[in-house]
Amino acid sequence: MRTPLIAGNWKMNGSRAQARAWAQAALAAAPDRGAEVALFPPYPWLTEVAAILDAPRGRVRLGAQACSGEREGAFTGAVSAGMLHDAGCSLCLCGHSERRALFGEDDAAVAASLRRALEADLVPVLCVGESLAEREAGRTLEVVVHQLRSGLEALRSPQDELILAYEPVWAIGTGRAASPAEAAEVHAALRGEVGRREPDRGRAIRILYGGSVKPDNIEGFLRVEDVDGALVGGAALDPVAFARLVQAATRLARPAP
Ligand code: PGA
């Protein structure tokens, strides 16, 4: 049984006061069981949000939006996985498409950050996704499986936990989500690829869908067998909408067999 995860990525949004309010609202919305909730605030608010969530012990998990592929040293502006762990994080996004496209993170940089996250006891959330041009050229599965493989190489042992997020680049922040059928095809391919290497991990790994997830479309995704939750940007900045996403995931959580 895979517990669905609703993860709110605030990106570079929100004042300190809003961060506090959104964290309190997420805490109030999070169920004791059924579904899991995680927040990914901007770096400056991490410790304050950690205090509100009682992270990493509390029921809402705290994550970082990215971490450096370096351990420490002269890397002005960068933040290490160890610092994020100290700040209360237990998760870290690796390879979000905005990091790949706007900050020049290639597969090697993403794999390095994933390795650092694992070393610091953070669970990496590896993000993969194709551009519109790649989809239209029929290259979706090739692109996402390539990104996945490069991330899987960074795992050290079967004990290293990993979460995946399939986020088609053309669906992020555009209001144009993938269809549940499109997500189903990619999620099945990702799970199949993981399972070919490590059958246990293939069954257990959580694969989130991301890209214009809203309260009125989340159910379609959650009903897909291989979708285990959502990585949410825009709707995570609206506490009422975010709470509705959490409620949907809790309601649709599949009972343990
Ligand atoms: P969106 O962002 O929900 O605003 O499309 C998703 C993401 O980038 O994780």
Side-chain angles (χ1 to χ4, degrees):
M1 141 102 170
R2 302 185 297 263
T3 305
L5 172 64
I6 301 297
N9 172 13
W10 298 351
K11 310 191 180 183
M12 198 174 74
N13 292 296
S15 64
R16 184 174 174 186
Q18 281 173 313
R20 294 184 61 87
W22 295 343
Q24 276 152 357
L27 192 56
D32 287 327
R33 58 202 164 87
E36 210 173 24
V37 179
L39 297 179
F40 295 78
Y43 294 136
W45 317 142
L46 282 174
T47 51
E48 195 152 342
V49 170
I52 292 168
L53 302 180
D54 190 26
R57 292 166 296 277
R59 65 179 187 278
V60 176
R61 297 178 74 175
L62 185 65
Q65 297 173 14
C67 72
S68 172
E70 304 288 345
R71 210 173 274 126
E72 64 180 354
F75 301 103
T76 300
V79 175
S80 76
M83 293 169 185
L84 297 168
H85 183 263
D86 272 0
C89 291
S90 57
L91 301 165
C92 186
L93 300 183
C94 294
H96 187 281
S97 72
E98 285 151 19
R99 301 296 311 176
R100 294 179 192 261
L102 306 174
F103 296 88
E105 287 186 15
D106 58 12
D107 282 335
V110 173
S113 76
L114 201 151
R115 223 170 271 122
R116 296 301 174 216
L118 289 169
E119 276 173 18
D121 280 334
L122 301 176
V123 174
V125 181
L126 174 64
C127 304
V128 301
E130 83 288 3
S131 67
L132 189 57
E134 288 163 341
R135 172 161 285 268
E136 286 173 346
R139 296 185 49 223
T140 298
L141 297 184
E142 171 201 332
V143 169
V144 298
V145 167
H146 178 83
Q147 291 169 336
L148 169 64
R149 282 188 186 145
S150 145
L152 290 177
E153 316 260 287
L155 295 175
R156 302 162 305 178
S157 82
Q159 277 69 49
D160 279 339
E161 193 185 339
L162 177 70
I163 297 172
L164 295 179
Y166 167 54
E167 297 203 301
V169 176
W170 46 272
I172 295 179
T174 59
R176 180 185 162 197
S179 68
E182 286 168 330
E185 183 193 19
V186 177
H187 283 236
L190 293 170
R191 190 177 302 288
E193 177 66 23
V194 175
R196 259 188 297 284
R197 296 171 172 236
E198 284 181 75
D200 288 348
R201 188 190 294 281
R203 280 185 289 276
I205 196 165
R206 289 187 285 183
I207 310 179
L208 315 181
Y209 167 77
S212 296
V213 172
K214 305 278 183 268
D216 62 5
N217 65 16
I218 190 164
E219 292 205 5
F221 294 110
L222 293 174
R223 288 185 196 284
V224 173
E225 168 70 27
D226 286 313
V227 172
D228 307 303
L231 179 54
V232 185
L237 307 179
D238 172 352
V240 175
F242 191 67
R244 287 178 59 200
L245 299 177
V246 173
Q247 284 155 13
T250 309
R251 198 169 57 243
L252 294 179
R254 296 176 194 101

mmCIF file of all heavy atoms in Angstrom, residues 7-9 11 93 96-98 127 165 167-168 171-175 209-214 231-236, ligand 1:
data_model
loop_
_atom_site.group_PDB
_atom_site.id
_atom_site.type_symbol
_atom_site.label_atom_id
_atom_site.label_comp_id
_atom_site.label_asym_id
_atom_site.label_seq_id
_atom_site.Cartn_x
_atom_site.Cartn_y
_atom_site.Cartn_z
ATOM 1 N N ALA A 7 2.027 17.310 -2.003
ATOM 2 C CA ALA A 7 3.210 18.134 -1.727
ATOM 3 C C ALA A 7 3.001 19.523 -2.320
ATOM 4 O O ALA A 7 2.730 19.662 -3.508
ATOM 5 C CB ALA A 7 4.440 17.474 -2.354
ATOM 6 N N GLY A 8 3.128 20.539 -1.488
ATOM 7 C CA GLY A 8 2.940 21.924 -1.932
ATOM 8 C C GLY A 8 4.282 22.604 -2.144
ATOM 9 O O GLY A 8 5.057 22.769 -1.196
ATOM 10 N N ASN A 9 4.557 22.964 -3.398
ATOM 11 C CA ASN A 9 5.807 23.646 -3.738
ATOM 12 C C ASN A 9 5.499 25.135 -3.894
ATOM 13 O O ASN A 9 4.860 25.533 -4.874
ATOM 14 C CB ASN A 9 6.341 23.051 -5.050
ATOM 15 C CG ASN A 9 7.530 23.815 -5.599
ATOM 16 O OD1 ASN A 9 8.129 24.640 -4.918
ATOM 17 N ND2 ASN A 9 7.867 23.532 -6.848
ATOM 18 N N LYS A 11 7.517 27.531 -4.440
ATOM 19 C CA LYS A 11 8.445 28.227 -5.342
ATOM 20 C C LYS A 11 8.894 29.552 -4.692
ATOM 21 O O LYS A 11 9.023 29.607 -3.479
ATOM 22 C CB LYS A 11 7.797 28.420 -6.721
ATOM 23 C CG LYS A 11 7.214 27.099 -7.257
ATOM 24 C CD LYS A 11 6.797 27.169 -8.686
ATOM 25 C CE LYS A 11 6.234 25.808 -9.115
ATOM 26 N NZ LYS A 11 5.871 25.747 -10.511
ATOM 27 N N LEU A 93 13.315 18.369 -3.258
ATOM 28 C CA LEU A 93 13.079 18.226 -4.695
ATOM 29 C C LEU A 93 14.423 18.177 -5.403
ATOM 30 O O LEU A 93 15.339 18.925 -5.046
ATOM 31 C CB LEU A 93 12.284 19.413 -5.249
ATOM 32 C CG LEU A 93 10.890 19.692 -4.678
ATOM 33 C CD1 LEU A 93 10.243 20.867 -5.421
ATOM 34 C CD2 LEU A 93 10.003 18.462 -4.761
ATOM 35 N N HIS A 96 13.659 19.703 -10.376
ATOM 36 C CA HIS A 96 12.417 20.347 -10.821
ATOM 37 C C HIS A 96 12.687 21.015 -12.178
ATOM 38 O O HIS A 96 13.765 21.542 -12.407
ATOM 39 C CB HIS A 96 11.955 21.386 -9.795
ATOM 40 C CG HIS A 96 10.605 21.951 -10.121
ATOM 41 N ND1 HIS A 96 10.421 22.926 -11.071
ATOM 42 C CD2 HIS A 96 9.368 21.649 -9.656
ATOM 43 C CE1 HIS A 96 9.128 23.188 -11.176
ATOM 44 N NE2 HIS A 96 8.471 22.431 -10.324
ATOM 45 N N SER A 97 11.704 21.009 -13.049
ATOM 46 C CA SER A 97 11.958 21.491 -14.425
ATOM 47 C C SER A 97 12.395 22.951 -14.440
ATOM 48 O O SER A 97 13.116 23.364 -15.344
ATOM 49 C CB SER A 97 10.731 21.283 -15.304
ATOM 50 O OG SER A 97 9.726 22.190 -14.943
ATOM 51 N N GLU A 98 11.960 23.732 -13.443
ATOM 52 C CA GLU A 98 12.437 25.125 -13.412
ATOM 53 C C GLU A 98 13.927 25.185 -13.069
ATOM 54 O O GLU A 98 14.650 26.064 -13.539
ATOM 55 C CB GLU A 98 11.590 25.940 -12.418
ATOM 56 C CG GLU A 98 10.211 26.235 -13.004
ATOM 57 C CD GLU A 98 9.091 26.377 -12.005
ATOM 58 O OE1 GLU A 98 9.348 26.616 -10.805
ATOM 59 O OE2 GLU A 98 7.915 26.234 -12.422
ATOM 60 N N CYS A 127 12.200 14.883 -9.964
ATOM 61 C CA CYS A 127 11.190 15.377 -10.903
ATOM 62 C C CYS A 127 11.648 15.105 -12.328
ATOM 63 O O CYS A 127 12.785 15.406 -12.693
ATOM 64 C CB CYS A 127 10.990 16.875 -10.740
ATOM 65 S SG CYS A 127 10.546 17.370 -9.065
ATOM 66 N N ALA A 165 8.336 12.378 -9.215
ATOM 67 C CA ALA A 165 7.251 13.270 -9.629
ATOM 68 C C ALA A 165 7.316 13.405 -11.137
ATOM 69 O O ALA A 165 8.358 13.791 -11.679
ATOM 70 C CB ALA A 165 7.379 14.632 -8.961
ATOM 71 N N GLU A 167 6.182 15.527 -14.012
ATOM 72 C CA GLU A 167 5.646 16.855 -14.261
ATOM 73 C C GLU A 167 5.933 17.268 -15.708
ATOM 74 O O GLU A 167 7.023 17.769 -16.004
ATOM 75 C CB GLU A 167 6.299 17.873 -13.325
ATOM 76 C CG GLU A 167 6.030 17.614 -11.867
ATOM 77 C CD GLU A 167 6.189 18.893 -11.055
ATOM 78 O OE1 GLU A 167 7.277 19.481 -11.066
ATOM 79 O OE2 GLU A 167 5.206 19.301 -10.435
ATOM 80 N N PRO A 168 4.957 17.089 -16.600
ATOM 81 C CA PRO A 168 5.174 17.555 -17.977
ATOM 82 C C PRO A 168 5.408 19.062 -17.964
ATOM 83 O O PRO A 168 4.625 19.807 -17.356
ATOM 84 C CB PRO A 168 3.868 17.193 -18.696
ATOM 85 C CG PRO A 168 2.893 16.756 -17.661
ATOM 86 C CD PRO A 168 3.608 16.524 -16.379
ATOM 87 N N ALA A 171 2.697 21.505 -18.708
ATOM 88 C CA ALA A 171 1.529 21.555 -17.818
ATOM 89 C C ALA A 171 1.807 22.378 -16.561
ATOM 90 O O ALA A 171 0.893 22.674 -15.793
ATOM 91 C CB ALA A 171 1.125 20.133 -17.419
ATOM 92 N N ILE A 172 3.065 22.764 -16.351
ATOM 93 C CA ILE A 172 3.417 23.447 -15.104
ATOM 94 C C ILE A 172 3.059 24.927 -15.205
ATOM 95 O O ILE A 172 3.564 25.650 -16.055
ATOM 96 C CB ILE A 172 4.923 23.278 -14.800
ATOM 97 C CG1 ILE A 172 5.232 21.803 -14.546
ATOM 98 C CG2 ILE A 172 5.317 24.133 -13.612
ATOM 99 C CD1 ILE A 172 6.695 21.524 -14.264
ATOM 100 N N GLY A 173 2.156 25.342 -14.321
ATOM 101 C CA GLY A 173 1.791 26.758 -14.242
ATOM 102 C C GLY A 173 1.020 27.267 -15.446
ATOM 103 O O GLY A 173 0.853 28.473 -15.617
ATOM 104 N N THR A 174 0.532 26.366 -16.281
ATOM 105 C CA THR A 174 -0.136 26.797 -17.510
ATOM 106 C C THR A 174 -1.650 26.673 -17.435
ATOM 107 O O THR A 174 -2.355 27.188 -18.289
ATOM 108 C CB THR A 174 0.318 25.931 -18.703
ATOM 109 O OG1 THR A 174 -0.002 24.561 -18.403
ATOM 110 C CG2 THR A 174 1.812 26.062 -18.941
ATOM 111 N N GLY A 175 -2.154 25.960 -16.424
ATOM 112 C CA GLY A 175 -3.587 25.699 -16.369
ATOM 113 C C GLY A 175 -3.990 24.555 -17.292
ATOM 114 O O GLY A 175 -5.150 24.166 -17.340
ATOM 115 N N TYR A 209 1.942 13.041 -9.565
ATOM 116 C CA TYR A 209 1.729 13.800 -10.792
ATOM 117 C C TYR A 209 1.791 15.285 -10.434
ATOM 118 O O TYR A 209 1.289 15.705 -9.387
ATOM 119 C CB TYR A 209 0.361 13.491 -11.440
ATOM 120 C CG TYR A 209 0.080 14.519 -12.511
ATOM 121 C CD1 TYR A 209 0.719 14.435 -13.747
ATOM 122 C CD2 TYR A 209 -0.721 15.636 -12.255
ATOM 123 C CE1 TYR A 209 0.561 15.426 -14.705
ATOM 124 C CE2 TYR A 209 -0.890 16.630 -13.207
ATOM 125 C CZ TYR A 209 -0.241 16.523 -14.420
ATOM 126 O OH TYR A 209 -0.381 17.516 -15.354
ATOM 127 N N GLY A 210 2.397 16.096 -11.282
ATOM 128 C CA GLY A 210 2.422 17.542 -11.078
ATOM 129 C C GLY A 210 2.211 18.274 -12.383
ATOM 130 O O GLY A 210 2.620 17.796 -13.457
ATOM 131 N N GLY A 211 1.612 19.457 -12.278
ATOM 132 C CA GLY A 211 1.345 20.277 -13.462
ATOM 133 C C GLY A 211 -0.120 20.668 -13.493
ATOM 134 O O GLY A 211 -0.960 19.886 -13.908
ATOM 135 N N SER A 212 -0.396 21.886 -12.967
ATOM 136 C CA SER A 212 -1.758 22.438 -12.972
ATOM 137 C C SER A 212 -2.771 21.546 -12.255
ATOM 138 O O SER A 212 -3.926 21.422 -12.687
ATOM 139 C CB SER A 212 -2.215 22.737 -14.413
ATOM 140 O OG SER A 212 -1.386 23.747 -14.976
ATOM 141 N N VAL A 213 -2.340 20.942 -11.150
ATOM 142 C CA VAL A 213 -3.279 20.177 -10.314
ATOM 143 C C VAL A 213 -4.133 21.163 -9.522
ATOM 144 O O VAL A 213 -3.617 22.102 -8.912
ATOM 145 C CB VAL A 213 -2.528 19.237 -9.348
ATOM 146 C CG1 VAL A 213 -3.500 18.610 -8.349
ATOM 147 C CG2 VAL A 213 -1.797 18.156 -10.127
ATOM 148 N N LYS A 214 -5.440 20.954 -9.563
ATOM 149 C CA LYS A 214 -6.404 21.829 -8.880
ATOM 150 C C LYS A 214 -7.455 20.940 -8.206
ATOM 151 O O LYS A 214 -7.576 19.760 -8.544
ATOM 152 C CB LYS A 214 -7.121 22.723 -9.914
ATOM 153 C CG LYS A 214 -6.198 23.560 -10.809
ATOM 154 C CD LYS A 214 -5.742 24.830 -10.112
ATOM 155 C CE LYS A 214 -4.883 25.705 -10.996
ATOM 156 N NZ LYS A 214 -3.466 25.526 -10.943
ATOM 157 N N LEU A 231 2.229 16.816 -6.853
ATOM 158 C CA LEU A 231 3.149 17.913 -6.545
ATOM 159 C C LEU A 231 2.473 19.168 -7.093
ATOM 160 O O LEU A 231 2.206 19.253 -8.295
ATOM 161 C CB LEU A 231 4.515 17.664 -7.197
ATOM 162 C CG LEU A 231 5.591 18.729 -6.981
ATOM 163 C CD1 LEU A 231 5.806 19.027 -5.499
ATOM 164 C CD2 LEU A 231 6.918 18.278 -7.598
ATOM 165 N N VAL A 232 2.197 20.102 -6.199
ATOM 166 C CA VAL A 232 1.285 21.196 -6.505
ATOM 167 C C VAL A 232 1.998 22.535 -6.368
ATOM 168 O O VAL A 232 2.626 22.796 -5.330
ATOM 169 C CB VAL A 232 0.100 21.159 -5.504
ATOM 170 C CG1 VAL A 232 -0.927 22.217 -5.861
ATOM 171 C CG2 VAL A 232 -0.537 19.781 -5.474
ATOM 172 N N GLY A 233 1.904 23.373 -7.383
ATOM 173 C CA GLY A 233 2.492 24.713 -7.305
ATOM 174 C C GLY A 233 1.424 25.743 -6.987
ATOM 175 O O GLY A 233 1.134 26.029 -5.826
ATOM 176 N N GLY A 234 0.805 26.284 -8.018
ATOM 177 C CA GLY A 234 -0.145 27.386 -7.853
ATOM 178 C C GLY A 234 -1.213 27.143 -6.788
ATOM 179 O O GLY A 234 -1.450 28.006 -5.933
ATOM 180 N N ALA A 235 -1.832 25.965 -6.806
ATOM 181 C CA ALA A 235 -2.926 25.707 -5.861
ATOM 182 C C ALA A 235 -2.429 25.573 -4.420
ATOM 183 O O ALA A 235 -3.227 25.630 -3.480
ATOM 184 C CB ALA A 235 -3.710 24.463 -6.271
ATOM 185 N N ALA A 236 -1.113 25.431 -4.240
ATOM 186 C CA ALA A 236 -0.571 25.337 -2.873
ATOM 187 C C ALA A 236 -0.482 26.721 -2.229
ATOM 188 O O ALA A 236 -0.232 26.836 -1.024
ATOM 189 C CB ALA A 236 0.810 24.681 -2.902
HETATM 190 P P1 PGA B 1 1.681 24.113 -10.884
HETATM 191 O O1 PGA B 1 3.200 23.762 -10.528
HETATM 192 O O2 PGA B 1 0.808 23.311 -9.961
HETATM 193 O O3 PGA B 1 1.553 25.607 -10.628
HETATM 194 O O4 PGA B 1 1.459 23.766 -12.314
HETATM 195 C C1 PGA B 1 3.588 22.437 -10.297
HETATM 196 C C2 PGA B 1 5.060 22.352 -9.980
HETATM 197 O O5 PGA B 1 5.863 23.055 -10.592
HETATM 198 O O6 PGA B 1 5.477 21.559 -9.113
#
